Amino acid sequence: MPNTYSAELIALEGPDAIAFAQAQFSSNLASLADGQWQFSAWLDAQGRVRALFHLMRLDGQRLRLLLRGGEAQAMAGELQRYVFRARLRVLALPLRELATAEPMPLHAVTEQGDTLVIGCGSHALKLATRGDDEWRLRQVRAGWPWLVRHTAGELLPAWLNLGALGATALDKGCYPGQEIVARMHYRGGSKRHLHRVRLSRPLEPGSMLEVDGQTIQLLDVVAVGGAAEALAVVHDDTQASLASGVEAGLPDGSGGVQVIALTA
């Protein structure tokens, strides 16, 4: 089986690992128990998503970040700049692949020898030497976004529905981008939201489409027969058009594709 995305994994280890993560990342680790994971993100000062990941607590001094897009080596280097005097190691771990495993409770994490298995409810993700793509369609249908290509630093948490996924917290202290997250939650103002769509033909993850003068940004795209399903960042002005289906153009002029919104 082919695999599209590698398992980019970062380790945070040391007595200050949890405190460091609580200060830097957008989720609230206060209720995260050993052997559990939660969605989380690392935002920039403007509140845009630098990285999205499964944040796993293995024990009181060991955290793992499984990136949903991006490169572990680059992110580990950026995180290291903020360690200062914290008792903490930040390491990019050797590259693995993502394989589909038997169902396991949502948010559970187990260590099996030298690998990790992450519970996703209807299935599990296993960090293995040989991966597959079977898990991708299930996660698209669950509304779990993947940051493809050059989307790091471009998208706001509200556009990715991170609040509903528990990846952004309003009930903890400050973290980078927290003011923007709170403002958009309490005052609204987001004009873009995440939608699941069907495409009449497969396109590359990260492709851009044009509808009604607005851009639709595709994230992960999974072929289903001769068509495809995808998660897309859609402007609110375009949402009504997608309900009944619309022909969208590609910016490079290489033809169009039929796009229709799907229920969650």
Side-chain angles (χ1 to χ4, degrees):
M1 293 291 295
N3 68 296
T4 302
Y5 300 130
S6 298
E8 298 276 353
L9 195 67
I10 295 173
L12 303 182
E13 297 186 347
D16 295 332
I18 292 174
F20 176 83
Q22 183 76 327
Q24 287 294 325
F25 303 147
S26 61
S27 61
N28 192 346
L29 280 76
S31 60
L32 187 63
D34 293 353
Q36 296 285 307
W37 70 268
Q38 61 187 200
F39 283 111
S40 193
W42 192 30
L43 311 182
D44 64 19
Q46 289 71 46
R48 295 184 181 266
V49 181
R50 302 176 68 174
L52 175 65
F53 43 89
H54 302 262
L55 176 57
M56 296 168 267
R57 175 172 169 154
L58 304 183
D59 57 43
Q61 295 194 17
R62 293 188 302 148
L63 299 175
R64 296 290 184 269
L65 281 59
L66 174 62
L67 304 190
R68 295 187 66 85
E71 297 180 357
Q73 192 70 48
M75 182 175 170
E78 288 295 310
L79 283 172
Q80 187 64 48
R81 296 171 53 196
Y82 298 91
V83 170
F84 302 119
R85 296 182 180 178
R87 295 167 297 168
L88 166 75
R89 293 190 306 159
V90 182
L91 304 169
L93 298 181
L95 199 63
R96 306 291 292 276
E97 294 187 3
L98 295 170
T100 310
E102 293 299 314
M104 198 167 83
L106 182 63
H107 298 302
V109 179
T110 63
E111 294 182 89
Q112 297 182 1
D114 63 348
T115 193
L116 295 171
V117 184
I118 303 164
C120 303
S122 66
H123 64 289
L125 275 180
K126 184 175 183 178
L127 279 63
T129 56
R130 184 171 183 176
D132 60 66
D133 270 357
E134 292 180 15
W135 55 273
R136 287 176 56 208
L137 182 60
R138 300 181 193 187
Q139 297 195 0
V140 164
R141 290 176 172 173
W144 295 4
W146 192 278
L147 299 185
V148 295
R149 291 188 180 175
H150 307 297
T151 51
E154 293 184 358
L155 307 174
L156 290 168
W159 298 0
L160 299 174
N161 205 25
L162 296 193
L165 293 177
T168 53
L170 301 168
D171 58 348
K172 72 169 193 172
C174 293
Y175 55 85
Q178 182 267 341
E179 290 184 5
I180 307 300
V181 171
R183 186 182 309 151
M184 297 195 78
H185 175 80
Y186 291 114
R187 300 182 185 178
S190 175
K191 298 297 184 183
R192 297 179 185 272
H193 294 90
L194 192 70
H195 292 272
R196 187 163 65 92
V197 300
R198 178 179 289 120
L199 308 174
S200 58
R201 60 186 174 93
L203 296 173
E204 286 293 316
S207 296
M208 307 289 284
L209 301 174
E210 294 179 353
V211 175
D212 299 335
Q214 298 287 350
T215 298
I216 294 176
Q217 189 164 17
L218 300 179
L219 299 180
D220 202 5
V221 180
V222 181
V224 181
E229 292 186 26
L231 289 176
V233 177
V234 179
H235 195 282
D236 290 350
D237 292 344
T238 307
Q239 182 180 349
S241 298
L242 296 186
S244 56
V246 66
E247 186 77 11
L250 294 165
D252 62 6
S254 60
V257 60
Q258 188 76 12
V259 185
I260 187 169
L262 299 172
T263 55

